[in-house]
Amino acid sequence: MARGVTAAQGFRAAGVPAGISAKPGKLDLALVVNDGPRFAAAGVLTRNKVKAAPVLWTEQVLTAGRLRAVVLNSGGANACTGPEGFQATHSTAERVAELLGCGAVEVAVCSTGLIGEQLPLPNVLSGVDKAAGELAATADGGSAVATAIMTTDTVSKQDAVTDPAGWTVGGTTKGAGMIAPSMATMLSVITTDAVLEQPALDAALHEAVRLSFDRLDIDGSMSTNDTVLLLSSGASGVEADPAEFTTALTRVCQDLAARMQADAEGVTKRITVRVTGAASEDDAVVVARTIARDSLVKTAIFGSDPNWGRIAAAAGYADAAVEPETLDVTINGVLLCRGAVVAGDRAAADLSGKDVLVEVGLGLGDGTAEIRTTDLSHAYVEENSAYSS
Amino acid sequence: MARGVTAAQGFRAAGVPAGISAKPGKLDLALVVNDGPRFAAAGVLTRNKVKAAPVLWTEQVLTAGRLRAVVLNSGGANACTGPEGFQATHSTAERVAELLGCGAVEVAVCSTGLIGEQLPLPNVLSGVDKAAGELAATADGGSAVATAIMTTDTVSKQDAVTDPAGWTVGGTTKGAGMIAPSMATMLSVITTDAVLEQPALDAALHEAVRLSFDRLDIDGSMSTNDTVLLLSSGASGVEADPAEFTTALTRVCQDLAARMQADAEGVTKRITVRVTGAASEDDAVVVARTIARDSLVKTAIFGSDPNWGRIAAAAGYADAAVEPETLDVTINGVLLCRGAVVAGDRAAADLSGKDVLVEVGLGLGDGTAEIRTTDLSHAYVEENSAYSS
């Protein structure tokens, strides 16, 4: 059974090598087509004030709440490329529209790769032609999309959930670094054949993103290109309960986020920071994110060092209510700090495995949140110091 | 001529090996004594909500605006050590007070090192006795203090300025990582023989710190122990103009901050991020700090890669007014991005040297600020993954 964008009925997809990426033969252009009968769509885009051309375009087309297709490329972000870059995005959407017999305003565009270089437009357009000729409703079609959007990802990422009522939601994502609040440098396309009105789709997507991609923070950087799109074909003919749909969509997004965490640049440890007892959920998110971003915490965990003092210090400078008197830190089940005072032998916490659970109790209220992150390793430095040149 | 805490008249100092540090024979306890005739003092302490015992103590004694002495130790932060840790700080101040014949409330205490371990109090107290016996008004006394407070620092750090009017301000600092807003994991003691009222001293110190230590951001982490103290003996007998004193003090603090930047953990590049044209000075600081903290910017510069797209992206997610239309990025004098659009060949920017100047023009107003930081290197990861265990 297909797991990605072709898991739901009513979708065809393709991924082709278009010669955009510097890597010869790499699949680097993808097309996802909604064959209907319904075309409602929703999206969540980067909050970065410097937005790539495809983000500016997609922001506009999403105002109608309706999409026939999404065209995506790796090999270039088409960000900081000015009018020429925006024209390239527009031309790409127009070519897709011509081939599908729809309007360009029904075509979203996503790009990922290096900032500040123009895309090779002739290659992009001939790639669109090629992809349109290879569209398939099969698992292969979905998998080709998942592969074509990869940049520094080492594995493609797909997931799907089928509800007993008869509808399916599935999707794909890419992203391995520069992942932060608002999902930096990630692209995700999710499809469903459930019947839902556009406002319900939109609400479900925002809730699912809030509890998944927005709770993943690899390096605190936010990209110019982040895009998550949800397309619904209604092809199952089954009307979905909005709450049940939101739950299923959240599960898919959380699974995709976990795959991004596991494949993050240079990762040697998968870290979950769980904050409980915060004065509010917002405070719990702020404290967990501050710990998850702290370079000293991340390097200590890379070194398998249960240096809880750095965790307590990070909690202490978070912009949230924190009282030393009720601040507890537990690493991999071992309570090391109670009331901001040493409470155990740090050697008792075993960090030799790949998964590390950092639990911070604030003792102030009922606010709870988890942020997933990774360690800060030599490989992270290596990969990111040699990315563009 | 002495450059550190004994540069000004009226001060004696010593640094001794007290057996606090794990490194045998390392100087790890320091004492700075103000012999008057005046004793006005001011301080700036960490804003971390988790404060080390010596910070809690020093916060209290500073309320009187008067200090006879400062006792400092490396080899342990005495943070997250509970009542036992606070008692150790108190006993240390009392021992100093006994030896000098003053009150314990006239003695500030500073500690630096690993969080969450009790100090070996007998060693600290016998170290105090020893240091009191070796107090000297010479350059050697000041240098011993500079050496005794080092942790992962590779060189000691001192500076002094003498005003033609006849007064001197000089000091020392330590800190090499975990340096961020509010000067994380740094200790600094500055002395002057100028005659100034306490409120003028206090105002001068806050202004100088704002423009120096607070503009240094190595890794975004804020410590439990940050302390900057300013002691005045008035021994020159010369009344200083508050504005001139503030200028001289700022110069000393900026010099000490530059030394910390140059000696930061794992540094291979010294980076200055200069933001101009911001809507306000606060906005300029926020944008410069966001760029200075961005792991992708820091790894790119480690790789000598003028990846200006990451700089533009970081400016774009800063919590400040930023308009892509007027966003320019210049690296080492080469304009690479104008109006958030590629404007030059990145290869023209030479990053092979040790100093990198990142200039970001926002085109919105007159706000200007500089933040100093360093690259994110293999050595940073190495040093911080192996610090405590």
Side-chain angles (χ1 to χ4, degrees):
Chain A
M1 186 205 132
R3 288 187 303 124
V5 294
T6 51
Q9 298 174 64
F11 294 93
R12 286 176 299 151
V16 299
I20 306 163
S21 162
K23 217 188 231 166
K26 182 193 178 306
L27 301 194
D28 52 13
L29 187 130
L31 189 57
V32 180
V33 174
N34 181 357
D35 288 324
R38 299 169 69 96
F39 302 100
V44 177
L45 304 172
T46 185
R47 290 197 304 265
N48 199 310
K49 288 178 276 288
V50 177
K51 297 181 204 302
V55 169
L56 293 169
W57 171 263
T58 298
E59 202 165 51
Q60 287 307 309
V61 305
L62 277 174
T63 57
R66 177 188 166 88
L67 286 179
R68 282 294 306 274
V70 185
V71 56
L72 312 94
N73 75 273
S74 55
N78 198 3
C80 298
T81 45
E84 183 183 344
F86 192 79
Q87 185 54 47
T89 290
H90 189 190
S91 303
T92 307
E94 281 194 323
R95 179 67 66 102
V96 172
E98 273 167 38
L99 293 164
L100 298 179
C102 67
V105 295
E106 296 173 289
V107 180
V109 182
C110 302
S111 299
T112 179
L114 187 62
I115 297 172
E117 298 198 345
Q118 300 293 343
L119 292 177
L121 186 58
N123 301 17
V124 172
L125 297 181
S126 62
V128 169
D129 295 345
K130 197 170 170 207
E134 295 184 14
L135 286 168
T138 62
D140 285 353
S143 294
V145 172
T147 303
I149 61 178
M150 289 165 64
T151 52
T152 56
D153 307 65
T154 65
V155 291
S156 65
K157 301 167 184 76
Q158 300 185 88
D159 189 49
V161 164
T162 295
D163 190 84
W167 49 263
T168 293
V169 55
T172 185
T173 192
K174 66 78 48 178
M178 210 174 180
I179 291 171
S182 310
M183 332 150 308
T185 305
M186 64 157 290
L187 302 180
S188 180
V189 179
I190 300 162
T191 61
T192 183
D193 49 23
V195 175
L196 278 157
E197 295 305 316
Q198 200 278 340
L201 269 187
D202 194 62
L205 183 63
H206 278 83
E207 178 67 1
V209 167
R210 188 178 76 80
L211 296 173
S212 57
F213 301 124
D214 263 356
R215 299 279 166 99
L216 179 67
D217 194 321
I218 301 303
D219 52 23
S221 301
M222 186 196 290
S223 143
T224 51
N225 288 61
D226 301 327
T227 306
V228 181
L229 297 173
L230 172 61
L231 286 70
S232 72
S233 67
S236 71
V238 181
E239 209 159 311
D241 172 71
E244 280 170 19
F245 179 77
T246 301
T247 302
L249 179 64
T250 302
R251 263 188 55 196
V252 169
C253 290
Q254 286 178 336
D255 175 89
L256 293 174
R259 289 172 195 268
M260 289 163 76
Q261 178 194 28
D263 192 31
E265 286 170 355
V267 60
T268 78
K269 306 276 189 189
R270 294 178 294 248
I271 305 168
T272 300
V273 181
R274 180 182 297 159
V275 172
T276 57
S280 66
E281 184 182 339
D282 281 355
D283 267 16
V285 171
V286 168
V287 172
R289 201 184 287 290
T290 303
I291 295 166
R293 281 189 187 175
D294 188 277
S295 294
L296 293 165
V297 170
K298 291 159 85 85
T299 45
I301 294 178
F302 167 62
S304 297
D305 175 8
N307 194 334
W308 61 266
R310 293 179 178 179
I311 296 166
Y317 73 78
D319 187 18
V322 173
E323 298 286 345
E325 293 70 22
T326 53
L327 172 64
D328 299 343
V329 179
T330 301
I331 304 181
N332 280 356
V334 181
L335 179 73
L336 295 175
C337 166
R338 185 193 289 273
V341 178
V342 52
D345 178 5
R346 71 180 68 217
D350 179 9
L351 268 68
S352 59
K354 213 169 153 46
D355 288 291
V356 176
L357 175 61
V358 172
E359 293 173 282
V360 172
L362 297 179
L364 299 174
D366 295 328
T368 296
E370 274 186 19
I371 294 281
R372 289 163 182 269
T373 189
T374 58
D375 55 342
L376 177 51
S377 67
H378 284 302
Y380 177 91
V381 172
E382 193 60 34
E383 191 153 344
N384 284 297
S385 59
Y387 179 68
S388 83
S389 58
Chain B
M1 187 204 128
R3 289 188 301 123
V5 294
T6 51
Q9 298 174 64
F11 293 92
R12 286 175 299 149
V16 299
I20 306 164
S21 163
K23 219 190 229 163
K26 182 194 177 305
L27 301 194
D28 51 13
L29 188 129
L31 189 57
V32 180
V33 175
N34 182 356
D35 288 323
R38 300 170 68 98
F39 302 99
V44 177
L45 303 171
T46 185
R47 290 196 305 264
N48 199 308
K49 289 179 276 286
V50 178
K51 297 181 205 303
V55 169
L56 293 169
W57 172 264
T58 299
E59 200 164 51
Q60 287 308 308
V61 304
L62 276 174
T63 55
R66 176 187 167 88
L67 286 179
R68 283 293 307 274
V70 186
V71 56
L72 311 94
N73 75 273
S74 55
N78 198 4
C80 298
T81 45
E84 184 183 343
F86 191 80
Q87 186 53 49
T89 290
H90 189 189
S91 302
T92 307
E94 281 194 324
R95 179 67 65 104
V96 172
E98 273 167 40
L99 293 164
L100 298 181
C102 66
V105 295
E106 296 173 288
V107 180
V109 183
C110 304
S111 299
T112 177
L114 187 63
I115 296 172
E117 298 196 345
Q118 300 294 342
L119 292 176
L121 185 57
N123 301 17
V124 173
L125 297 181
S126 63
V128 168
D129 295 346
K130 198 171 169 204
E134 297 185 12
L135 286 168
T138 62
D140 285 353
S143 294
V145 171
T147 303
I149 60 177
M150 289 167 62
T151 53
T152 56
D153 306 65
T154 65
V155 292
S156 66
K157 302 168 184 77
Q158 301 185 90
D159 190 49
V161 165
T162 295
D163 189 85
W167 50 262
T168 293
V169 55
T172 184
T173 192
K174 65 79 48 178
M178 209 175 179
I179 292 172
S182 309
M183 335 147 304
T185 305
M186 65 156 290
L187 303 181
S188 180
V189 180
I190 300 162
T191 60
T192 183
D193 49 21
V195 175
L196 277 156
E197 296 305 315
Q198 199 279 337
L201 271 187
D202 194 63
L205 184 63
H206 279 83
E207 178 67 0
V209 167
R210 187 178 77 79
L211 295 173
S212 57
F213 301 125
D214 263 356
R215 298 279 165 98
L216 178 68
D217 194 320
I218 301 302
D219 52 23
S221 300
M222 186 196 290
S223 144
T224 50
N225 289 60
D226 301 327
T227 306
V228 180
L229 297 173
L230 173 61
L231 285 70
S232 73
S233 67
S236 71
V238 182
E239 210 160 308
D241 173 71
E244 279 169 19
F245 180 77
T246 301
T247 301
L249 179 65
T250 301
R251 261 187 59 195
V252 168
C253 290
Q254 286 177 336
D255 176 89
L256 293 174
R259 289 171 195 268
M260 290 163 75
Q261 178 194 30
D263 192 31
E265 287 170 354
V267 59
T268 78
K269 306 276 188 188
R270 295 179 294 248
I271 305 168
T272 299
V273 181
R274 179 182 297 159
V275 172
T276 57
S280 66
E281 184 182 340
D282 281 356
D283 267 16
V285 171
V286 167
V287 172
R289 201 184 285 292
T290 303
I291 294 166
R293 282 189 187 175
D294 188 278
S295 293
L296 293 166
V297 170
K298 290 158 86 85
T299 46
I301 293 177
F302 167 61
S304 297
D305 175 8
N307 195 333
W308 60 267
R310 294 179 178 178
I311 295 166
Y317 73 78
D319 188 17
V322 173
E323 298 287 344
E325 292 69 23
T326 51
L327 172 63
D328 299 343
V329 179
T330 301
I331 304 181
N332 280 357
V334 181
L335 179 73
L336 295 174
C337 166
R338 184 193 289 274
V341 177
V342 51
D345 178 5
R346 71 180 68 218
D350 179 9
L351 268 67
S352 59
K354 213 168 151 48
D355 288 290
V356 176
L357 174 62
V358 172
E359 292 173 283
V360 173
L362 297 179
L364 300 174
D366 296 329
T368 296
E370 275 186 18
I371 294 281
R372 289 163 181 270
T373 188
T374 58
D375 56 341
L376 177 52
S377 68
H378 284 304
Y380 177 91
V381 172
E382 193 59 33
E383 191 154 342
N384 284 298
S385 60
Y387 179 68
S388 84
S389 60

